[in-house]
Amino acid sequence: MGSFIGHVLPGTLFLLVGVWHIWSAVVRHVSNPKSFRVRVWNPVPGFDGKLKYMELYVIVIGAFIDMCIELFYSTHLKFFVNGVLNPHHMNDFEHSGMLLMFVIFGVVTLLSEKTRFLPLPEESLCFIAATAFCGEYLLFNFHSTTHKGLEGYYHLLLVLLIALCVLSCAAGGIFPTSFPIDLSSGIAITLQGLWFYQTAFTLYGPMMPDGCRLKENMVSCHSTDSEVRGEFLANFQLFALVFGVLAGVAGSYIFAASRYGHSEFRSLHIVQDALDRD
């Protein structure tokens, strides 16, 4: 993933799933708050149910394609050197293993939902999703490629966002009726996808901070001051993304409440507005 496309591909996958998760959680809550339950995946409506499992197919197919790119294209099929794993492509093998975790999650969830061979409650699927994110967390936290300097700081922030994904998914299995937890899960996944994009455009694209450059697939800064300015920029970028996502969540909630809101939900707001006018 040490390239522009290597960050954009998984970022797109996480971004799509995260945004869909946020919207679905909001719509389900405003439609019927009393019966709300956490869902690790959300069916796509319309077309007589033909797109119901679209989210799971996107996860399985998207993660599988990205895994194949990491495992076959990036390694140039040079898996072994002198009888051992090619040390020059250990990061590609590690990324493939991480993506395999999400393929397994998608396949297990599809088997649970579409067949009788593996009937699992939603809480169990939440813990399986948390396990997949935990594998991603361990990969980036104990990477064979040592990320240093500005690049290391961007990956540190990524690890923190992945940890939020782990905690929110696990919490969904423990508190299966909590709307804030389900919403937090979607927000964390969305932020992870956006941060993959931000890392791609900053470290491997046109947004490289002044005084830093990409040379031989390594990010280096001319001075400590340049590196510190780059870290400050990363903090601002993350704050801007968090602010933007939270604003988007608030806007989507207002829109969903006005269009799909439960009758009791609307009545509560009407009474509140009347009290405010009084």
Side-chain angles (χ1 to χ4, degrees):
M1 294 184 181
S3 64
F4 183 87
I5 193 66
H7 285 81
V8 167
L9 283 178
T12 302
L13 179 62
F14 286 121
L15 182 59
L16 290 175
V17 173
V19 170
W20 174 243
H21 194 111
I22 290 173
W23 173 249
S24 299
V26 167
V27 170
R28 285 187 291 108
H29 183 260
V30 300
S31 299
N32 196 342
K34 294 182 179 180
S35 64
F36 180 87
R37 293 189 66 84
V38 173
R39 289 192 63 95
V40 74
W41 73 281
N42 296 275
V44 178
F47 297 94
D48 298 325
K50 294 180 180 179
L51 299 180
K52 179 179 180 180
Y53 302 99
M54 176 63 70
E55 179 183 349
L56 296 176
Y57 286 125
V58 168
I59 294 174
V60 173
I61 296 174
F64 182 76
I65 292 174
D66 200 1
M67 182 183 70
C68 290
I69 293 174
E70 292 286 343
L71 187 60
F72 300 117
Y73 177 77
S74 298
T75 62
H76 308 291
L77 301 180
K78 296 179 180 179
F79 301 136
F80 298 96
V81 176
N82 298 324
V84 298
L85 282 175
N86 191 337
H88 298 292
H89 294 289
M90 287 301 297
N91 61 326
D92 298 317
F93 298 139
E94 292 167 349
H95 296 157
S96 300
M98 177 202 77
L99 292 162
L100 178 61
M101 294 290 290
F102 290 102
V103 173
I104 293 174
F105 160 72
V107 171
V108 168
T109 306
L110 280 171
L111 289 175
S112 176
E113 296 292 336
K114 298 190 68 174
T115 70
R116 299 179 180 179
F117 299 110
L118 195 64
L120 294 173
E122 196 70 26
E123 292 83 354
S124 298
L125 296 178
C126 287
F127 287 118
I128 294 175
T131 303
F133 282 115
C134 188
E136 184 188 12
Y137 174 84
L138 293 174
L139 164 71
F140 283 107
N141 203 32
F142 302 101
H143 211 311
S144 62
T145 301
T146 303
H147 296 292
K148 297 181 179 179
L150 184 61
E151 184 181 12
Y153 192 75
Y154 271 82
H155 280 82
L156 173 62
L157 296 178
L158 175 62
V159 167
L160 295 178
L161 294 176
I162 297 172
L164 291 178
C165 294
V166 175
L167 293 175
S168 59
C169 288
I174 300 173
F175 305 101
T177 60
S178 174
F179 169 66
I181 288 177
D182 200 17
L183 186 62
S184 298
S185 179
I187 291 174
I189 296 172
T190 301
L191 285 173
Q192 185 185 165
L194 289 172
W195 193 248
F196 267 113
Y197 264 90
Q198 188 63 68
T199 302
F201 279 98
T202 302
L203 301 184
Y204 306 98
M207 298 177 64
M208 180 69 74
D210 293 336
C212 300
R213 63 174 180 168
L214 178 66
K215 184 179 181 181
E216 297 180 355
N217 207 32
M218 294 289 292
V219 178
S220 60
C221 297
H222 300 314
S223 64
T224 303
D225 290 340
S226 298
E227 183 176 322
V228 171
R229 284 197 300 270
E231 293 177 356
F232 286 157
L233 176 62
N235 292 336
F236 175 77
Q237 290 168 342
L238 181 59
F239 170 78
L241 292 177
V242 171
F243 181 82
V245 170
L246 292 180
V249 170
S252 65
Y253 194 93
I254 294 172
F255 176 79
S258 64
R259 185 168 183 178
Y260 306 105
H262 191 266
S263 57
E264 295 181 3
F265 188 83
R266 292 179 179 176
S267 299
L268 180 63
H269 281 278
I270 293 174
V271 172
Q272 185 63 45
D273 291 340
L275 291 175
D276 292 340
R277 286 195 296 270
D278 293 340

